[in-house]
Amino acid sequence: KIVVDFKTDKSRLQLAEPTLDLTQLKGDFRFDSAKGLSGQNITAQAFDRPITAQIAADGKPGKLRTRVTAKGQVTVKRLTDWLKVTQPLPVSGDIPYQLQLSLDGADSQLMVSSNLKGVAVDLPAPFGMPASQGRDSVFRMTLQGAERRYWFDYGELANFTFAAPPDKFNDGRGELFLGAGEAVLPGAKGLRIRGVLSELDVAPWQDLANKYAGQDPGGSAKQLLSSVDFKVGKLTAFGTTLDQA
């Protein structure tokens, strides 16, 4: 068994999976060959912003396991660039987050939770919100395997599940469920959208689609969309209101 205690100051750490570059790294660390890496009082720069972190090692001989918890902020653009999402999104601002990273071989996973205070969402009601409002949300993704799995819960308003090969998001399959319900991962390629909404006004959604289609010249977002299926209590479209659409 080997145990090494060490301190760092203004160091740099590059993680391979997920690809993450930590700079200005400072803290008290211990590497235990029977458990893994642990650390206390850690500060660093991640996504060009300061973070604070703790690292816990709870593995066993032959199966090291490390858990990282961190707090910080990241801009929406910096995050989408890191996730390699090229489609334009109706979201902007700074995301305050709490991150939990589990490095556990095939079971490695990343979870990020945020109240989204400081994030503006440019969507029709009830999904949109100004940056001052906030909404508790959670993002999770797996870090190993032939497919990466993704989950996102947007308060009580929507949830999303997706699976795609690494770096090939457009070859993936998934579902976005709007309203009270759970998204289910489909077997076929493409993104399907389902939902149960009390009311839906089509016009602002058409305006939104036209706005972002102009920023998607390759049509990758349209190609990804496979089906749309809503149950709507009151539908407003072309100047007419229909009940139970």
Side-chain angles (χ1 to χ4, degrees), residues 86-156:
T86 56
Q87 289 87 357
L89 299 174
V91 184
S92 61
D94 290 349
I95 305 171
Y97 64 86
Q98 292 181 300
L99 175 151
Q100 291 181 294
L101 174 64
S102 175
L103 300 174
D104 188 18
D107 296 322
S108 295
Q109 191 171 117
L110 172 70
M111 182 171 77
V112 181
S113 55
S114 174
N115 61 14
L116 297 185
K117 282 279 182 75
V119 179
V121 179
D122 181 21
L123 289 176
F127 302 99
M129 65 177 185
S132 58
Q133 180 177 328
R135 183 168 285 133
D136 289 338
S137 301
V138 179
F139 169 80
R140 290 188 296 131
M141 69 177 287
T142 60
L143 303 175
Q144 298 291 331
E147 279 189 324
R148 298 289 188 267
R149 290 289 310 275
Y150 304 87
W151 298 265
F152 181 64
D153 293 327
Y154 182 57
E156 301 295 321

Side-chain angles (χ1 to χ4, degrees), residues 33-64:
S33 61
K35 294 182 178 180
L37 180 68
S38 58
Q40 301 288 327
N41 307 315
I42 301 166
T43 58
Q45 290 270 330
F47 302 116
D48 309 317
R49 296 286 185 87
I51 65 165
T52 58
Q54 305 287 330
I55 302 176
D58 55 4
K60 55 188 178 182
K63 187 172 173 59
L64 302 185

